[in-house]
Amino acid sequence: MKTMTRKEEIVSVASQLFKEKGYNAVSMRDIAQAMGIKAASLYNHITGKQEILSTLILKVAYEFTSGMSSVLDKPTRPLQKIEDLIILHIDVTVNYSEGLAALNNDWMHLENQDLDAFVKMREDYEANFRSIIKEGIEVGEFKPRHPEVILFSILSTLRTLHLWFQKRGKLDVNVLKKDMVEVLIKGMI
Amino acid sequence: MKTMTRKEEIVSVASQLFKEKGYNAVSMRDIAQAMGIKAASLYNHITGKQEILSTLILKVAYEFTSGMSSVLDKPTRPLQKIEDLIILHIDVTVNYSEGLAALNNDWMHLENQDLDAFVKMREDYEANFRSIIKEGIEVGEFKPRHPEVILFSILSTLRTLHLWFQKRGKLDVNVLKKDMVEVLIKGMI
DNA sequence: AAAATCAACTAACAATCGTTAGTTTTGCAG
DNA sequence: CTGCAAAACTAACGATTGTTAGTTGATTTT
């Protein structure tokens, strides 16, 4: 782990507290105490509480957006793209697990442009995912099921991965990738 | 819809606000305003903000617990039990959609005995679910996949159903049940 | 009609919130 | 050493939080 700027430290410490109690239940004094300083000192490094949240969430959201771009750019078939996206989610979960909790639970506490930017990224991401599924059904690679149900099932699972990964940290990442792809794509029977 | 007591009205109104902004971002004055009264008047019917949350969450948690009991009592095979649990989740989602948001996002803000009771119900529920999956694998009804991954995939999907059900309310409930069972159990290819 | 209960109200409380201003300490470059 | 900037501090602000006390008017019970 490379050396962190003080601001990165604050965002990191805050993200752990946000994960446990949520954005609104964590005070600036809580964050400061976890860093061993006073709340007012935080303002030497950040402009306010909102900046912590938006820095945290938008960084992770960008990872998904750029990951989706990579997947779309490759000339692969729909099934391979879905597999790539599952791997993407697992990798982001492993590397940004703190930020994912905030992204999932506290995105609605973003404000103004940050909120708009996030919502747009999220909608675009879902739309791209949906298109891949629809194309897979059209070319006969997937069963002709309601695309919305497939999209919902996969995304729900992937979005809450961080909860399980921390609880059952014993799960080996590569085993998880393999089994997750199998279960999500081929089902359980 | 039968006539509500005033307390039930408060819990209902509060649950809608909790769903949008989360427990901590909703003030007693917000709840009162949504009911057309003053915050202090709420205390004629409830003992405090905590009671709203615990009433809301524990009612839904009990639905899952008793639903699980029914499924376990029937002398069916593991596959049928899983299908029954999927139906249970969809039914609870339709009938208690507001409470599910609080259960998923704000359970950690419960206190003392309420928190303990909830955590125990949740752990028991997951343990029962896990046992059914393991038995299904043992008797050869399910593929020999990591039980934890199957459990996680199904529960993640079912627990976030309420988010999608409100967004895409056009989805017919019976179509949803059929497709959801198919997708979760048989996969997408 | 009198008495009691209910459910609303006003007013205020102590605590905590995010944030600002002004000051002191720390650590490094010259 | 000296000087300077970075980063900590103390103290306080106005706003909001959940909650309590005491009161009023309406409705129900006796």
Side-chain angles (χ1 to χ4, degrees), chain A residues 79 82-91 94 157-158 161 165 171-188, chain B residues 143-150 152-153 189:
Chain A
L79 178 58
I82 297 292
E83 287 190 25
D84 288 350
L85 288 172
I86 294 174
I87 304 298
L88 168 66
H89 270 267
I90 294 178
D91 284 335
V94 172
T157 302
L158 296 179
L161 244 174
F165 193 75
L171 281 184
D172 180 83
V173 179
N174 288 316
V175 173
L176 178 63
K177 284 183 182 177
K178 192 160 172 298
D179 281 12
M180 188 60 70
V181 168
E182 292 262 309
V183 168
L184 284 181
I185 289 180
K186 298 182 189 167
M188 56 187 288
Chain B
K143 292 180 193 165
R145 223 87 81 177
H146 203 309
E148 215 59 43
V149 177
I150 297 177
F152 154 57
S153 171
I189 65 172

Side-chain angles (χ1 to χ4, degrees), chain A residues 21 109 130 143 145-146 148 152-153 156-157 160 164 168 171 179-180 182 185-189, chain B residues 21 109 130 143 145-146 148 152 156-157 160 164 168 171 179-180 182 185-189:
Chain A
K21 310 200 292 174
H109 300 121
R130 188 180 293 111
K143 292 182 193 165
R145 223 88 81 178
H146 204 309
E148 215 59 42
F152 155 56
S153 171
S156 293
T157 302
T160 46
W164 297 69
R168 324 222 180 278
L171 281 184
D179 281 12
M180 188 60 70
E182 292 262 309
I185 289 180
K186 298 182 189 167
M188 56 187 288
I189 64 172
Chain B
K21 309 200 292 175
H109 300 121
R130 188 180 294 110
K143 292 180 193 165
R145 223 87 81 177
H146 203 309
E148 215 59 43
F152 154 57
S156 294
T157 302
T160 46
W164 297 69
R168 324 221 180 278
L171 282 184
D179 282 11
M180 187 60 69
E182 293 261 308
I185 291 181
K186 297 183 188 167
M188 56 187 287
I189 65 172

Side-chain angles (χ1 to χ4, degrees), chain A residues 104-105 108, chain B residues 14-23 53 56-57 60-61 64 92-93 96-109 118 122 158-164 166:
Chain A
N104 280 319
N105 305 324
M108 70 285 281
Chain B
S15 70
Q16 291 181 260
L17 297 176
F18 291 166
K19 175 154 76 174
E20 291 167 15
K21 309 200 292 175
Y23 177 73
L53 187 69
L56 185 59
I57 290 182
V60 181
F64 281 117
V92 174
T93 297
Y96 302 87
S97 73
E98 337 81 30
L100 271 173
L103 185 144
N104 280 318
N105 305 325
D106 291 317
W107 64 267
M108 71 285 282
H109 300 121
F118 173 81
R122 183 158 169 137
L158 296 178
R159 279 180 177 156
T160 46
L161 243 174
H162 66 102
L163 289 177
W164 297 69
Q166 67 171 358

Side-chain angles (χ1 to χ4, degrees), chain B residues 65-129:
Chain B
T65 298
S66 70
M68 174 65 83
S69 283
S70 301
V71 170
L72 290 177
D73 283 348
K74 280 189 284 184
T76 50
R77 301 170 70 187
L79 178 56
Q80 181 63 49
K81 288 195 198 304
I82 297 291
E83 287 189 26
D84 289 350
L85 287 172
I86 294 174
I87 304 298
L88 168 66
H89 270 267
I90 294 179
D91 284 335
V92 174
T93 297
V94 172
N95 296 320
Y96 302 87
S97 73
E98 337 81 30
L100 271 173
L103 185 144
N104 280 318
N105 305 325
D106 291 317
W107 64 267
M108 71 285 282
H109 300 121
L110 290 171
E111 291 173 359
N112 307 324
Q113 325 97 314
D114 290 334
L115 178 59
D116 296 339
F118 173 81
V119 170
K120 172 156 176 43
M121 286 172 101
R122 183 158 169 137
E123 285 173 351
D124 288 349
Y125 187 85
E126 283 184 17
N128 285 327
F129 218 123

Side-chain angles (χ1 to χ4, degrees), chain A residues 30-42:
Chain A
D30 291 334
I31 299 170
Q33 190 175 41
M35 298 196 62
I37 61 178
K38 299 291 177 180
S41 306
L42 295 171

